[in-house]
Amino acid sequence: MENLVAARIQMGFTLGFHMLFAAFGVGFPLLMVLAEGMALRGGPAHYLKLAQIWGKANALLFAVGAVSGTALAFELGLLWPGFMLLAGSTIGAGFASEAFAFFIEAIFIGLYLYGWNRLSPLGHWLTGIPIVIGGMASAALVVSVDAWMQHPVGAASLLRTPARAAPLAMLFQNPHWPVMALHATIACLAATGFTLATVYAMGMLRGRRDEIHKAGLRIAMVLATGSAILMPLTGDMSGKAVAAFQPTKLAAMESQFRTQTAAPLRIGGLPDPKARTVNYALEIPGGLSWLAYGRSSARVVGLDHVRTADWPDVPVTHVSFQVMVGAGLLMVVIALYYWWNMRSRGGGLTRSLLGALVAGGPLAFFALETGWMVTEVGRQPWVVYGVQRTADAVTPAHDLLGYLIGYALLYLLLGTTVIWLLRRVEREAPALEEAA
Amino acid sequence: MTAGVPWPDVAWLVAVAAMTAYMLLGGADFGGGVWDLFAWGQDAALQRRAIARAMGPVWEANHVWLIFLLILLFTLFPIAFHRLVIGLYLPLNLVLLGIILRGAAFVFRAHGRRGIGPQSTWGRTFGAASSLTVVLLGASLAATSSGGDLTIAWRSWLSPFAIVTGLFALSATAYLAATYLTLEASGGLRKTFRARALLAGEAAGLAAVLGLALMPFEAPRLFLRLVAPDVLGLALLAAGLGAGSYASLRAGQDRLGRSLAAATLSVLLWSWAAAQWPYIIYPGFTVRGSAAPALAVRQVLTLVPFGLVLLLPSLWLLFHVFKGRLPIDGDAGPAR
Ligand code: HDD
Ligand code: HEM
Ligand code: HEM
């Protein structure tokens, strides 16, 4: 296998794997702090138990998040030495600030998890706050690096007069960064909220309708709903940013093969890059022009403005985008269904509602992963958009396929062990209840 | 105002400082893994428990030093970093594998109310991966000093000198960990860890002598610089501190022994850095020649003090809450 292909696959699944855990790293602390805070303010004791159970699950997820993140930090160099040679000194400013966020997160996670008997109740609750801030800050900061790869502000000076390249401005005055940071961080909150709702809804379907399950579901749905509603709004901002900075990616997302005024919005469908057509799509006339530029008559640049060799993988980008948006809209529907049910049905949780809630977690993670596929695959063949080709960044080392297989097996092992252990945490939850 | 500042040199100092922090904090956690693997005697289960308790709250924070160091390297010295990740592709992948396995194994085995336990496969994985990773880290460091071609594997990180350096790293971190553990245990367990420390100290001394004997042949420049008048003092200081640490432990002065152990390894690392100067990878890559442009270095380095303002008080809190007092029963989980 070619180095480029092997390295891309390895990077893709390491990032995809990390993302599963990182999302909880952003969302879980917020839920723990909410639950423990409610218990502190005189709420029922099962809120405290929730915080403790979630803390345990979070300990496991955080550790795997940390090791898979370490793998990423190594692999950026090991797989993409050319990229790091060009851009290491620029993106380092983002990673260095992120490292301090990691420190804060890791330190206070230690205090939180092991400090139940050493700190006062208020003191313990307070150690949760820096975890929340650290998790969100590390997500937002690492995204500054990715946003720069999408829209490399200042790259011209990096190439021509490296001595004048100023990393802080390049990373943090990039207009693409806040847009991405917002959408990507809220996505992590949505994924955590919906996944917990899935867990509690599954428990209830198996007849465990105790207070812990009800309270857990309620807190999870508060987070899930708030973030689900924000996803289409921030996603629209992301779409407009892509239209402005990466016209080729937008064209791939929408399968817009030719440059056109009043471009239609295509919903669903399977693009055929050879024939330059899209099959089975529902077309809304002028929809894309309107969404991207606010005028239904606006001109949208198509894939035809670049050589075919410079196209990203159009079917993958397009289908991933459709899946993310579709999942995002379904998530909003599920959240509204829950609150409608709680209001007008007096809170009786029907089996059909619980069934819908069970689907929420997987949908959110599908959206999260396909969203990153859109972003990363849609950027190809560039690693730094318009500046450095992915093929020029890859390592010259040998036998990449062997490493790829090795890491794939390793992640498989870690993934299955985590799931097995999490189920133990879940099953032990009643034991915790008895012990207290 | 900043025009006259030699930014690459400052960058190197910061990197060596981060390396020191990782060695003293993360290194001890590797040493904990070594003692977990080699726990023997009637109180073996207690030893493992003490190690798990000592590491539990702090290991993730200690681990971040490695990430920080890695980031500093590719940010401040992208040219040398480029050489390292290509030349040491295999050992660095193995280091990564070891780090993934030990981190995951450490939480996996500790998990659940009736944990899987230290004797499980994950327990052994934690110990074995920790031990192998330290050896590889030591060997990789030696490879940057020996002047061999990094791309010829057996010439650089598999040379006798590199392997002895790796074994030195293994015994030194084990020594460090055991001296820390004496202060986290009482009674018989404390005696056990003291005996372990002495054993590791002897092994480290032996490896050091062997390494010194190989150095003139395998890392001649490093050797010449190490015995040059401007570096020799530092190296002798490290040796003296090491002997002092060992003697204090012998005399039952655990607290002094631990402080001197940390001082020994720090001064030793600094002697290496001084002897290695002006190179980052010998030959071919000097600190000044492989640094990022001054503006980039300056911008990243100005972030560091701001970060430290947040980091240092938090670290103090962490160690204040968990260290210096014996562990409480139930530390690993909620009991209120
Ligand atoms: C829970 C997850 C989730 C949900 C429900 C959505 N997204 Fe999303 N989306 C992500 C999770 C995500 C992501 C994985 O987090 C990405 C990848 C990069 C980024 O910034 O966020 C992303 C990227 C991303 C991009 C590409 C940005 C780029 O390449 O720079 C666009 C245009 C959208 N999204 C648009 C939407 C729209 C219109 C949604 C309407 C429902 C939507 N997203 C829901
Ligand atoms: C965490 C969410 C992310 C996911 C799931 C993700 C996913 C992916 C995928 C699927 C690829 C392979 C794409 C392809 O080759 O076609 C990739 C490539 C890559 N990503 Fe990301 N990515 C994420 C975030 C980031 C961030 C924040 C950075 C920046 C630090 C980054 C840097 C890279 C690099 C350097 C490559 C390799 C070069 C390339 O193939 O373009 N990614 N990522
Ligand atoms: C948008 C994408 C990303 C998000 C949201 C994210 C978020 C996080 C979070 C919240 C953590 C804390 C651990 C946890 O809770 O699981 C974490 C850990 C980590 N991440 Fe990521 N990350 C992303 C991408 C990356 C990339 C691209 C890299 C490296 C190139 C990276 C490197 C790391 C490292 C080294 C850690 C371990 C830190 C520790 O030991 O505490 N992450 N990440």
Side-chain angles (χ1 to χ4, degrees), chain A residues 62 70 117-118 168 407 424, chain B residues 60 63 93 114 299 321:
Chain A
F62 183 83
T70 310
N117 305 318
R118 292 193 179 231
L168 292 178
Y407 281 111
R424 282 168 59 125
Chain B
E60 289 197 78
H63 172 69
N93 264 294
R114 297 163 294 275
Q299 288 208 338
V321 169

Side-chain angles (χ1 to χ4, degrees), chain A residues 47 53 59 71-72 98 105 121 127 151 199 214 216 228 290 292 313 316 351 355 364 405 414 426 430:
Chain A
Y47 281 117
I53 298 168
L72 282 174
E98 192 202 17
E105 226 184 330
T127 61
H151 182 46
V199 170
K214 282 190 195 144
W290 183 74
D313 188 320
V316 171
R351 288 192 78 81
I405 295 171
L414 295 189
E426 222 248 321

Side-chain angles (χ1 to χ4, degrees), chain B residues 71-115:
Chain B
I71 292 168
L72 286 181
L73 273 183
F74 70 63
T75 308
L76 303 174
F77 303 102
I79 301 168
F81 181 79
H82 183 252
R83 183 80 212 114
L84 279 181
V85 287
I86 294 177
L88 296 175
Y89 192 78
L90 178 57
L92 289 181
N93 264 294
L94 292 176
V95 163
L96 173 58
L97 180 74
I99 287 173
I100 295 177
L101 277 176
R102 74 184 278 277
F106 183 76
V107 281
F108 286 174
R109 67 162 200 180
H111 213 78
R113 275 173 83 74
R114 297 163 294 275

Side-chain angles (χ1 to χ4, degrees), chain A residues 18 21-22 25 62 65-66 69-70 72 76 102 105 139 142-143 372, chain B residues 63 67:
Chain A
H18 178 62
F21 298 91
F62 183 83
T70 310
L72 282 174
L76 274 181
F102 285 155
E105 226 184 330
V142 77
V143 165
W372 279 108
Chain B
H63 172 69
I67 295 160

Side-chain angles (χ1 to χ4, degrees), chain A residues 19-92:
Chain A
M19 209 50 229
L20 298 175
F21 298 91
F24 288 112
V26 177
F28 241 134
L30 189 59
L31 287 172
M32 293 176 336
V33 167
L34 279 177
E36 193 181 351
M38 288 205 252
L40 263 187
R41 301 196 49 183
H46 52 254
Y47 281 117
L48 191 59
K49 258 169 251 148
L50 273 178
Q52 293 170 345
I53 298 168
W54 290 347
K56 263 190 153 193
N58 190 43
L60 197 59
L61 295 166
F62 183 83
V64 182
V67 294
S68 61
T70 310
L72 282 174
F74 271 83
E75 282 177 7
L76 274 181
L78 288 169
L79 297 175
W80 312 105
F83 168 61
M84 297 309 270
L85 186 62
L86 172 75
S89 61
T90 303
I91 62 176

